[in-house]
Amino acid sequence: MYVNEYNENLWDFEVLDGVNFLNCNRIHPLKQKQVQHLVNCCEQDKQICELLVFGSSTDFRCNSRSDIDLVLIRDDDKKEAPYGFTDIESDYDLFFTVGERLKKVLFENGVCVYRRD
């Protein structure tokens, strides 16, 4: 587990209508609908274990031009996003491996938005 599920330093944002993913209140409203789309894509790929969001999408630095920083945890060796993942307005940075520096960032402000049951 890379994120601190009990991080009291994360923002608690208003949740938009039609948004219902895991920890959606931790994602800035400007990015919630796009993250909802990404979560929906993840639900269709049975090899995806988790989708984590970090960076400005999790705090008030977020603006309409902000990218979405993502970590995709898979249980296979593929380094590919699920079908439809690129169909969002924002640019995004997608990581498939987590090094020591990224582990620290994720623990400080990472949010798990999808976890396979």
Side-chain angles (χ1 to χ4, degrees), residues 41-49 74-75 114 116:
C41 292
C42 289
E43 290 173 341
Q44 304 307 310
D45 187 330
K46 299 305 178 203
Q47 302 304 312
I48 295 175
C49 301
R74 300 180 61 98
D75 63 4
Y114 170 76
R116 184 178 68 206

Side-chain angles (χ1 to χ4, degrees), residues 39-103:
V39 168
N40 293 346
C41 292
C42 289
E43 290 173 341
Q44 304 307 310
D45 187 330
K46 299 305 178 203
Q47 302 304 312
I48 295 175
C49 301
E50 290 184 335
L51 179 64
L52 312 175
V53 178
F54 65 100
S56 64
S57 296
T58 65
D59 64 37
F60 276 108
R61 295 178 296 151
C62 188
N63 63 63
S64 60
R65 294 182 315 223
S66 295
D67 67 354
I68 303 174
D69 298 307
L70 304 159
V71 175
L72 191 63
I73 308 295
R74 300 180 61 98
D75 63 4
D76 57 16
D77 291 332
K78 293 181 180 177
K79 290 186 178 353
E80 63 183 42
Y83 179 78
F85 213 70
T86 59
D87 298 339
I88 61 172
E89 296 173 16
S90 295
D91 291 335
Y92 63 89
D93 292 320
L94 180 58
F95 299 86
F96 294 96
T97 56
V98 178
E100 290 304 314
R101 185 184 308 169
L102 186 51
K103 278 183 189 177

Side-chain angles (χ1 to χ4, degrees), residues 19-25 27 32-33 35-36 39 113:
V19 172
N20 63 358
F21 57 84
L22 180 66
N23 297 312
C24 55
N25 63 310
I27 304 300
Q32 287 178 2
K33 296 236 179 201
V35 172
Q36 180 69 60
V39 168
V113 296

